[in-house]
Amino acid sequence: MTKSQALEVRDKKELETKGEKTMPARYFVPPTDIFETEDALTVVMEVPGVEKKDLDVHVENDVLRIEGRIDTSKYDGLSPLYSEYNIGHFSRSFVLSSKIDGGRINALVEDGVLTLKLPKIEEARPRRIPIS
Amino acid sequence: MSLFYSTPFNALIEFQRALDAFRDSSWLEQSFSGSGAFPPLNVFSKGDDIVLVAEVPGVRKADLKIEVKDNTVRIAGSKDVAYGERVSVHRRERPAGKFDRTVALPVEVNADRVKAECRDGILALYLPRAESAKPRSISIS
């Protein structure tokens, strides 16, 4: 990627699925990069303002679900004067292929970015077949 | 305007409504802002002081540059998104690149006492109002 490129600004995307959350507050869909290497699938998600303890990562029936809650108490005593974006919890899920080893998922949060390493199970890895 | 929440459960939704109400309010209208793309900004007041907040996930502290003079604040930085070698990319949604924005606040700021904090991808700038810009109560003789 070229370094001189200007940051492309997009509006935060709101979660649109209805009837899923019991709380009326708005949720946002975190921008996500997903890439695959030979032995793992990596999911990188932007969840600004979410602390480690407020992040939930679930894998159930091949569905990867990520929920991140922001701490609204940090905004106590602040009155808005001008706003360009809204805040809210984050939620997103992906259907995984069954090739993922759910027991060995590795998660890391740094500077508001969650990185998930989803290792592929042994037999799903590409193999070079020797020709005899 | 100050916000008081009746219960913690509706605190967030009340706050979301309040932020919506101040969407592109005229507060920064007079200022020249711009020169390049920038993650969106929220501006709050806290007592006499001004708090500027932006979401900058994935931006390292070392890559942020903040300058304050009188009533102008400049925030610049860059963000890299790397994938590594030999990968096949399935989704690419995270923005990357350089940003630089200057905003002129309608109040004068004490540049010596500005505090900047960057944690969990949130940049917060605490800008104390300059003494000369504080309201004074006038006693009637």
Side-chain angles (χ1 to χ4, degrees), chain B residues 23-123:
Chain B
R23 256 290 155 117
D24 302 319
S25 80
S26 58
W27 200 76
L28 272 183
E29 207 171 54
Q30 303 292 315
S31 75
F32 56 91
S33 63
S35 78
F38 189 77
L41 280 175
N42 278 347
V43 186
F44 300 94
S45 70
K46 188 180 187 183
D48 276 340
D49 303 338
I50 306 294
V51 184
L52 242 131
V53 185
E55 293 184 337
V56 288
V59 180
R60 284 181 298 269
K61 273 181 204 167
D63 292 334
L64 273 168
K65 189 177 170 195
I66 294 149
E67 288 170 4
V68 182
K69 189 177 183 290
D70 299 332
N71 68 333
T72 49
V73 180
R74 177 178 171 224
I75 308 168
S78 65
K79 175 179 165 182
D80 290 331
V81 171
Y83 300 100
E85 299 282 304
R86 289 175 60 85
V87 295
S88 64
V89 177
H90 295 212
R91 262 170 201 273
R92 206 161 108 175
E93 298 171 357
R94 299 176 59 213
K98 283 191 171 174
F99 52 86
D100 193 334
R101 183 164 173 191
T102 306
V103 288
L105 307 172
V107 292
E108 205 119 310
V109 163
N110 184 346
D112 297 330
R113 286 180 44 234
V114 172
K115 266 197 308 174
E117 229 175 65
C118 191
R119 209 183 311 137
D120 300 321
I122 302 267
L123 170 71

Side-chain angles (χ1 to χ4, degrees), chain A residues 12 68 90-91 100 112 119 126:
Chain A
K12 276 169 90 174
F90 293 97
S91 177
I100 297 301

Side-chain angles (χ1 to χ4, degrees), chain A residues 5 7 9 12 26 32-34 36-37 44 46 49 79 81-87 92 111, chain B residues 1 16 19-20 22-25 37 41-43 45 55 58 79 88 90-91 93-94 98 101 120:
Chain A
Q5 174 205 2
L7 186 81
V9 181
K12 276 169 90 174
R26 272 174 287 164
T32 305
D33 283 349
I34 301 179
E36 189 177 341
T37 54
V44 186
E46 295 190 341
S79 323
L81 289 171
Y82 171 84
S83 94
E84 290 175 346
Y85 68 92
N86 217 315
I87 59 161
R92 193 158 187 182
D111 294 332
Chain B
M1 193 188 104
Q16 288 181 336
L19 281 176
D20 266 350
F22 285 87
R23 256 290 155 117
D24 302 319
S25 80
L41 280 175
N42 278 347
V43 186
S45 70
E55 293 184 337
K79 175 179 165 182
S88 64
H90 295 212
R91 262 170 201 273
E93 298 171 357
R94 299 176 59 213
K98 283 191 171 174
R101 183 164 173 191
D120 300 321

Side-chain angles (χ1 to χ4, degrees), chain A residues 76-120:
Chain A
D76 280 352
L78 297 181
S79 323
L81 289 171
Y82 171 84
S83 94
E84 290 175 346
Y85 68 92
N86 217 315
I87 59 161
H89 305 310
F90 293 97
S91 177
R92 193 158 187 182
S93 47
F94 293 102
V95 179
L96 299 170
S97 68
S98 49
K99 297 182 298 186
I100 297 301
D101 185 349
R104 291 194 299 129
I105 293 175
N106 189 302
L108 175 91
V109 199
E110 200 181 15
D111 294 332
V113 177
L114 168 70
T115 306
L116 291 172
K117 267 230 156 67
L118 310 152
K120 294 184 195 169

